[in-house]
Amino acid sequence: MDKCLIIARYNENLEWLKKYQDFKIIIYNKGQKLKKNRLFNIIDLENIGRESHTWLYHIVENYYELNDINIFLQGKIDDL
């Protein structure tokens, strides 16, 4: 079963993702450019909408190839 973390990021620190290497990780970045990283797939998007826009974008663009498990998160998860 394949599982994926889909992250909506503006300028948050993503160091916390390093402990989830057993997931495929896609970062939709709407902030400052990130350095390429072998652990993450980084997709730059225009800074419009909020995280729901990012997640809907992912679903629409990948509708026929979605992973078995998709977990949608914000770039900073410890402030709620």
Side-chain angles (χ1 to χ4, degrees), residues 23-76:
F23 283 80
K24 175 181 176 182
I25 300 174
I26 301 173
I27 299 170
Y28 287 98
N29 182 43
K30 293 183 177 184
Q32 295 176 348
K33 295 276 186 191
L34 292 169
K35 292 181 183 176
K36 294 294 179 190
N37 185 316
R38 60 183 171 86
L39 301 176
F40 315 137
N41 180 11
I42 301 168
I43 299 170
D44 292 315
L45 292 179
E46 186 179 351
N47 186 19
I48 57 173
R50 294 188 54 107
E51 66 274 3
S52 56
H53 165 269
T54 304
W55 300 331
L56 183 59
Y57 176 89
H58 176 81
I59 293 168
V60 169
E61 291 296 312
N62 299 282
Y63 187 77
Y64 294 105
E65 338 178 302
L66 288 170
N67 295 83
D68 295 326
I69 298 173
N70 297 277
I71 302 172
F72 297 88
L73 298 168
Q74 296 176 344
K76 184 174 182 182

Side-chain angles (χ1 to χ4, degrees), residues 11-25:
N11 284 329
E12 298 88 3
N13 182 331
L14 300 175
E15 289 293 315
W16 62 272
L17 284 171
K18 288 183 179 178
K19 61 183 169 184
Y20 297 101
Q21 293 183 20
D22 56 331
F23 283 80
K24 175 181 176 182
I25 300 174

